[in-house]
């Protein structure tokens, strides 16, 4: 979200600006700036040695690899978050779900959270039994966005009452959309109108490359986004920090009994040797035309595959009705609330994410992994760089029908035994890197480090070795 620059940079309190950059709902990038003056670090990237304290701001890998205290800190921050829409039941994108998971976890760790978001005219706003979590609601604009003038007044009022904010947060990111546009152009059917967004998108990225240089610290939510910041946006490595997305490990975990209940509820016979699952918005850029065509071709050419496989689709969108036309072994369940979604992952043998978006860490992939379910996903840098880093964890495919069909046939031939072993390997790695606890502890440490000046001598910015990368 863009605020009045003169208001932001004229702000005199010891405050930091945190913006959540997102071209899509499931990729986010965070960048930081001190409100009064930049605090560039002259430290070079450090190659850690045993029994040595390092400057965390120079750590080149994801902070999730490090171990931070699970107990709450004695210093609590006052944090403001600006988000267009707050998650409500099953209707939430990846960015909103990321905001929910991270900020609820930070509130539970004792920090004071103020959420500035839009109210919904059609449903009551969710409530949480957390005394240090506050919501400030405004009516959305005609376009569905935050009313910046009203929100800024709310922010100023809260900032002048009691303790001023230590950190603030908002949204926006463009580069990843270019890769997505290229993929969709390659897959464009003859006669389908050509999109002309690339030129406009490139211009926006150029503007971002220039603008991002003025910020002292950038936080990427995947290894790939970190690499983009360093190589494409040309941000010095010591100013780029990687903290991988995480999800609630208490909700998304293996539970055979709940998976069985889910199958009974939707009439899925135990006799079927393989259950495939998809979840999310059923739209074009999530790869559903690709998945639809792959399944259509496989069902037409291999009756054994069709008879032995059940496909469950959790979500809604334009491709919902088309999937229903593929036959009785494909069930469209509609959008599921979080508790039902957790049961869904335990009911399937493998999770398929055919996204065409060159995005960050898609929450559905992490939810499946924490549930002990192996995944099939598009071979994009964000996915192969952080999530499916080995064939022992799952399967990848190029965003082409032939490649996706090949991956689906491999899964079918491997069977449940192989899939269960892959799911166990995936979950072991997920517990080390992708939990909400890991993510929140890393963000908390970064927030404390930067809010205390970000100097190498700052205790919050130092990490005592030895440590072991996961």
């Amino acid at each position: 979200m863009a605020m009045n620059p003169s208001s932001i940079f004229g702000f005199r309190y010891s405050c930091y600006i945190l913006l959540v950059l997102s071209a899509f709902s499931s990729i986010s990038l965070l960048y930081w700036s001190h409100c009064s003056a930049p605090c560039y670090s002259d430290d070079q990237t450090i190659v850690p040695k045993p029994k040595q304290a390092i400057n965390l701001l120079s750590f080149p890998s994801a902070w999730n690899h490090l171990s931070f205290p699970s107990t709450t800190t004695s210093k609590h921050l006052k944090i403001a978050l600006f988000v267009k829409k707050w998650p409500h039941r099953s209707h939430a994108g990846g960015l909103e779900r990321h905001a929910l998971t991270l900020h609820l976890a930070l509130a539970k760790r004792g920090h004071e959270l103020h959420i500035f978001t839009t109210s919904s005219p059609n449903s009551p706003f969710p409530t949480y039994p957390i005394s240090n979590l506050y919501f400030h609601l405004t009516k959305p604009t005609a376009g569905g966005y935050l009313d910046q003038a009203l929100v800024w007044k709310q922010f100023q009022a809260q900032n002048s009452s009691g303790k001023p904010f230590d950190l603030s947060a908002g949204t926006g990111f463009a580069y990843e959309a270019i890769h997505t546009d290229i993929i969709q152009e390659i897959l464009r059917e003859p006669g389908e109108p050509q999109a002309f967004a690339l030129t406009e998108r490139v211009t926006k990225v150029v503007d971002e490359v220039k603008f991002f240089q003025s910020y002292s610290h950038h936080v990427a939510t995947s290894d790939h986004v970190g690499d983009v910041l360093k190589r494409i946006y040309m941000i010095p490595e010591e100013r780029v920090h990687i903290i991988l997305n995480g999800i609630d490990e208490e909700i998304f975990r293996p539970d055979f009994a709940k998976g069985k209940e889910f199958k009974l509820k939707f009439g899925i016979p135990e006799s079927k040797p393989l259950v495939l699952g998809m979840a999310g918005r059923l739209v074009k850029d999530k790869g559903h035309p690709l998945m639809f065509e792959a399944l259509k071709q496989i069902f037409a050419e291999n009756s054994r595959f069709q008879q032995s496989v059940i496909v469950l689709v959790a979500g809604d969108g334009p491709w919902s009705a088309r999937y229903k036309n593929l036959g009785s072994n494909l069930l469209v369940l509609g959008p599921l609330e979080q508790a039902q979604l957790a049961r869904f992952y335990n009911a399937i043998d493998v999770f398929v994410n055919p996204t065409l978006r060159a995005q960050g860490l898609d929450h559905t992939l992490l939810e499946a992994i924490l549930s002990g379910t192996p995944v099939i996903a598009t071979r994009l840098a964000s996915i192969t760089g952080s999530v499916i880093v080995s064939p022992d964890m799952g399967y990848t495919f190029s965003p082409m029908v032939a490649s996706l069909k090949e991956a689906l046939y491999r899964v079918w031939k491997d069977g449940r035994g192989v899939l269960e072993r892959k799911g166990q390997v995936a979950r072991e790695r997920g517990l080390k890197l992708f939990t909400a606890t890991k993510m929140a502890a890393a963000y908390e440490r970064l927030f404390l480090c930067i809010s205390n000046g970000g100097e190498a001598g700052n205790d919050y910015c130092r990490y005592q070795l030895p440590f072991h990368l996961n």
Side-chain angles (χ1 to χ4, degrees), residues 40-43 46 53-58 445 448-464:
Y40 299 102
S41 171
D42 293 325
D43 295 318
I46 297 172
I54 64 167
N55 178 6
L56 276 172
L57 297 181
S58 297
R445 186 63 171 267
L448 291 168
C449 168
I450 294 178
S451 68
N452 278 271
E455 299 297 330
N458 175 352
D459 286 344
Y460 288 116
C461 294
R462 295 171 67 83
Y463 187 87
Q464 185 65 48

Side-chain angles (χ1 to χ4, degrees), residues 4-24:
N4 185 327
S6 62
S7 298
I8 291 178
F9 295 103
F11 187 52
R12 298 302 181 197
Y13 294 105
S14 177
C15 164
Y16 288 80
I17 307 289
L18 161 65
L19 289 94
V20 182
L21 304 177
S22 178
F24 317 112

Side-chain angles (χ1 to χ4, degrees), residues 173-443:
F173 188 54
Y175 171 76
E176 298 291 349
I178 293 178
H179 191 181
T180 301
D181 291 340
I182 292 172
I183 293 174
Q184 295 209 51
E185 183 62 23
I186 292 172
L187 296 175
R188 183 169 58 88
E189 296 289 341
E192 186 179 346
Q194 184 177 10
F196 293 96
L198 273 173
T199 301
E200 179 183 346
R201 201 95 68 185
V202 169
T203 302
K204 187 174 182 181
V205 169
V206 171
D207 290 340
E208 285 185 349
V209 170
K210 296 176 181 177
F211 178 67
F212 282 14
Q213 302 299 322
S214 63
Y215 286 86
S216 303
H217 297 280
H218 303 249
V219 182
T221 59
S222 74
D223 297 280
H224 172 60
V225 173
D227 194 56
V228 168
L229 281 174
K230 296 171 188 177
R231 299 178 186 276
I232 306 299
Y233 285 75
M234 295 175 284
I235 306 298
E237 291 193 7
E238 65 272 14
R239 289 165 51 199
V240 175
H241 321 296
I242 303 168
I243 300 178
L244 306 177
N245 282 351
I247 61 160
D248 193 330
E249 65 271 28
E250 296 301 318
I251 295 174
F252 296 98
R253 57 184 181 179
D255 193 320
F256 177 80
K258 288 184 178 179
K260 190 172 183 178
E261 290 174 7
F262 189 91
K263 288 182 180 180
L264 289 173
K265 177 180 178 179
F266 290 98
I268 302 165
E270 289 289 339
S271 59
K272 291 290 184 180
L274 194 63
V275 181
L276 306 179
M278 294 181 285
R281 293 185 300 114
L282 309 181
V283 294
K284 180 179 179 181
D285 55 7
K286 289 291 187 177
H288 290 287
L290 188 72
M291 186 66 179
F292 175 86
E293 186 59 31
L295 288 173
K296 180 181 176 183
Q297 291 185 19
I298 290 176
F299 288 172
E301 67 193 24
N302 194 318
S303 59
R304 286 183 57 240
F305 185 104
Q306 183 178 24
Q307 292 166 7
S308 61
V309 170
I310 285 280
V311 182
L312 303 182
V313 183
D316 57 3
W319 285 84
S320 174
R322 300 192 189 188
Y323 276 129
K324 292 176 182 177
N325 294 331
L326 286 178
S328 59
N329 63 323
L330 198 149
L331 304 180
V332 179
L333 310 176
L336 300 178
E337 294 187 16
Q338 193 175 60
Q340 284 291 341
L341 194 58
R343 291 179 171 87
F344 162 84
Y345 290 119
N346 277 284
I348 62 178
D349 297 301
V350 64
F351 178 74
V352 187
N353 186 335
T355 184
L356 303 182
R357 290 182 167 184
Q359 53 201 13
L361 299 191
D362 194 309
H363 274 227
T364 58
L365 288 173
L366 306 186
E367 290 165 354
I369 285 173
L370 265 282
S371 302
T373 302
V375 294
I376 314 174
T378 320
R379 195 178 299 124
L380 299 172
S382 55
I383 294 173
T384 58
S386 298
V387 184
I388 311 177
V389 298
S390 161
D392 294 334
M393 296 178 59
Y395 309 79
T396 62
F397 59 90
S398 299
M400 302 289 178
V401 172
S403 182
L404 176 52
K405 285 174 61 179
E406 183 181 344
L408 292 171
Y409 273 126
R410 281 205 311 273
V411 169
W412 182 52
K413 291 176 181 177
D414 283 348
R416 277 186 174 153
V418 172
L419 292 174
E420 287 175 0
R421 290 193 292 274
K422 290 180 183 289
Q424 291 172 1
V425 173
R427 175 169 164 76
E428 288 174 4
R429 187 168 191 273
L431 287 173
K432 294 177 181 178
L433 297 177
F434 303 132
T435 66
T437 301
K438 268 279 188 181
M439 174 181 68
Y443 273 104

Side-chain angles (χ1 to χ4, degrees), residues 133-146:
L133 180 64
Y134 305 91
F135 289 92
H136 308 279
L137 307 180
T138 54
K139 290 184 179 180
T141 64
Y145 296 94
L146 283 170

